[in-house]
Amino acid sequence: MLLDPLRIPEDAWSHGEVLAVLAARDIGGLFRWITNLTGASQSRIGAAVGLEQGYVSRIMAGRKVTSIDVLERIADGCRMPDQARTTMGLAPRQAAPSAAAPSRRVPDAPPLQRTWRDDVRSAAELWRGDVNRRDVLREVAFSSAGYTLPALRWFTAPAPAPVTQPGRSAVGQPAIDTIRAMTATYRQLDNQYGGGHARDTVARYLHQEVTPLLTDGRYDHGTGQRLLSAAAELAQLAGWQAYDTAEHGIAQRYLTLALDFAHAAGDDGLGAEILAAMSHQATYLGHTATGLDLARAAGRTARRAGVAVLTAEAHVMEAHALAKANDERACAAALHQAEQALDRADRSSDPQWLSYFDEAYLSAKFGHCFHALGRTTHAERFAARSLHMDNRYVRGRAFNLALLASVHAQQGEPDRACAIGAEALTLTNQLRSARASRYVRDLQAQLAPHRRLPAVRHFTGRVDATLGPRR
């Protein structure tokens, strides 16, 4: 059970003062009440409810909160009991109300049992808000707890209702093929130029082209499942792009909805890939326990799908989280399982979105694991091997060069680190990728003890000239 970081006594929610605030949906008043009750800072409140501290500050200064999604996030983060939730017009967390005690839920509150139609409405709202650059989306922070319910729902939700709709315009296979073809094009651009290059374009395509098919189209169950699967694949890419541009709260929303779509579509393979992406993001942000849980969920799903390459990917994600947690023995076991799974894989029937996972990618992940564990000899060998890769993956090459440079810095070879780091910087300058920039910045910081060396001074100057002075 998650600990309540705000430590609000449950009986405090029945006070008349807080009930009046909740009834008026005065979230600023609610946050001020929490501060007075618990002494929590704005940062602490933000961490609990998954909002940026600056947004919490603006709410406390009078900004209204009208989004049901954000209100639900606040209610969950504060661990409101059902009385408080219904006073604010939200559905209770537990059992549905009886006929004798009707809920005070407002019409736009989310239902207790989500359906694929609810997921479509949520996705359409997300895509529209992203295209219109709604501030509220950009104020929502990443929360490791935000992945707990979607992952649980993936395994425990009942079989979805038939994906059929008597819409105005028939949706056929050509429309679905078009989505997949556009996704392949956008994926290629993502690999070559970074997530920031086409992220806005992908959001517009989802909003303008995919939403009408989902909401107004006419399709039978088989077609509907294929449509949802194609939409899930593109939404997963949009989430990956947002992750690459450090918009982590938005990335989490996209990946969560993509997983819900994959469940409704009955697509276990894509579900495993999305869970692996969630694990990747969580581990990157330092939430290693969540990253490990998600990697294991991806592995279980991959085995259910019967796709050995996905099983290998899940083991690699598990290994990386274990390496970050400094569990060397368990990490080594997971890496061994990844190798075995990849050796068993028949790549002839892989979906297009899985083509990136090859020996070079596996070597890079091995290198990251050994680098995190301080095993520099192994890390250098695998990082060097990772550069024998498809040159179309420009961002991946930038990552792998930065990894190899970091290993040389770790080994006390600053001149070699600077030479390889300069190659990574050249590629990073061609990309719109916050992750690529971060890896170069991390290398710059790692070389700081050698700042008096001419090579390090020159490299640091190039980094600052290319990426801007370090703040």
Side-chain angles (χ1 to χ4, degrees), residues 353-390:
W353 45 258
L354 198 49
S355 60
Y356 72 90
F357 195 91
D358 56 15
E359 292 288 348
Y361 185 91
L362 187 66
S363 294
K365 298 304 289 184
F366 271 56
H368 279 289
C369 289
F370 287 121
H371 180 41
L373 292 168
R375 297 291 187 174
T376 58
T377 301
H378 293 317
E380 180 186 359
R381 183 171 75 251
F382 283 106
R385 189 182 298 175
S386 74
L387 294 171
H388 300 292
M389 61 183 298
D390 188 331

Side-chain angles (χ1 to χ4, degrees), residues 161-463:
V163 186
T164 62
Q165 183 163 273
R168 291 176 294 182
S169 303
V171 177
Q173 191 60 41
I176 298 169
D177 291 341
T178 299
I179 297 173
R180 295 198 184 279
M182 293 299 294
T183 302
T185 299
Y186 291 137
R187 197 179 299 280
Q188 180 181 352
L189 293 172
D190 175 65
N191 288 322
Q192 189 169 358
Y193 299 108
H197 178 75
R199 199 186 91 66
D200 291 345
T201 305
V202 172
R204 281 196 298 274
Y205 186 83
L206 284 164
H207 172 54
Q208 296 173 357
E209 303 296 335
V210 178
T211 293
L213 294 174
L214 291 167
T215 58
D216 300 328
R218 182 172 69 253
Y219 38 84
D220 60 19
H221 179 58
T223 303
Q225 284 193 308
R226 292 192 297 275
L227 176 60
L228 279 181
S229 178
E233 184 185 340
L234 185 53
Q236 187 267 346
L237 174 59
W240 190 257
Q241 290 173 318
Y243 166 27
D244 194 43
T245 55
E247 298 173 284
H248 292 293
I250 296 176
Q252 185 170 38
R253 290 284 307 281
Y254 269 101
L255 292 175
T256 297
L257 283 166
L259 186 67
D260 289 336
F261 275 19
H263 178 265
D267 193 335
D268 280 345
L270 185 56
E273 175 72 1
I274 296 166
L275 286 163
M278 291 174 165
S279 172
H280 199 299
Q281 183 191 21
T283 299
Y284 174 84
L285 292 174
H287 301 275
T288 54
T290 299
L292 182 59
D293 288 343
L294 290 166
R296 288 171 174 165
R300 178 178 167 186
T301 305
R303 289 188 290 274
R304 189 168 70 189
V307 182
V309 181
L310 285 170
T311 302
E313 179 187 24
H315 284 310
V316 162
M317 297 304 167
E318 180 181 357
H320 199 186
L322 289 165
K324 290 286 190 179
N326 203 34
D327 190 339
E328 185 170 353
R329 179 176 294 183
C331 174
L335 290 176
H336 179 63
Q337 289 175 307
E339 282 187 307
Q340 288 184 318
L342 191 60
D343 286 344
R344 293 194 305 268
D346 174 10
R347 307 303 303 270
S348 62
S349 59
D350 281 356
Q352 186 277 335
W353 45 258
L354 198 49
S355 60
Y356 72 90
F357 195 91
D358 56 15
E359 292 288 348
Y361 185 91
L362 187 66
S363 294
K365 298 304 289 184
F366 271 56
H368 279 289
C369 289
F370 287 121
H371 180 41
L373 292 168
R375 297 291 187 174
T376 58
T377 301
H378 293 317
E380 180 186 359
R381 183 171 75 251
F382 283 106
R385 189 182 298 175
S386 74
L387 294 171
H388 300 292
M389 61 183 298
D390 188 331
N391 288 328
R392 291 176 297 178
Y393 295 96
V394 177
R395 181 181 56 201
R397 178 170 288 276
F399 290 170
N400 296 350
L401 284 166
L403 170 63
L404 182 58
S406 182
V407 172
H408 282 296
Q410 194 176 28
Q411 291 174 323
E413 301 172 346
D415 288 347
R416 185 66 178 142
C418 288
I420 298 172
E423 295 182 57
L425 178 62
T426 297
L427 293 182
T428 298
N429 193 36
Q430 304 171 22
L431 299 166
R432 295 179 61 184
S433 167
R435 284 190 296 154
S437 297
R438 172 182 162 176
Y439 290 142
V440 172
R441 289 295 197 189
D442 287 348
L443 175 62
Q444 182 185 29
Q446 197 176 358
L447 289 167
H450 307 283
R451 64 176 63 88
R452 289 189 174 87
L453 293 177
V456 174
R457 282 204 309 271
H458 179 67
F459 175 69
T460 298
R462 277 197 60 192
V463 172

Side-chain angles (χ1 to χ4, degrees), residues 126-149:
L126 170 63
W127 301 340
R128 181 175 62 251
D130 197 11
V131 168
N132 294 332
R133 305 194 68 81
R134 281 175 50 194
D135 288 342
V136 66
L137 287 179
R138 282 156 179 78
E139 304 289 358
V140 173
F142 175 88
S143 164
S144 60
Y147 275 152
T148 302
L149 179 59

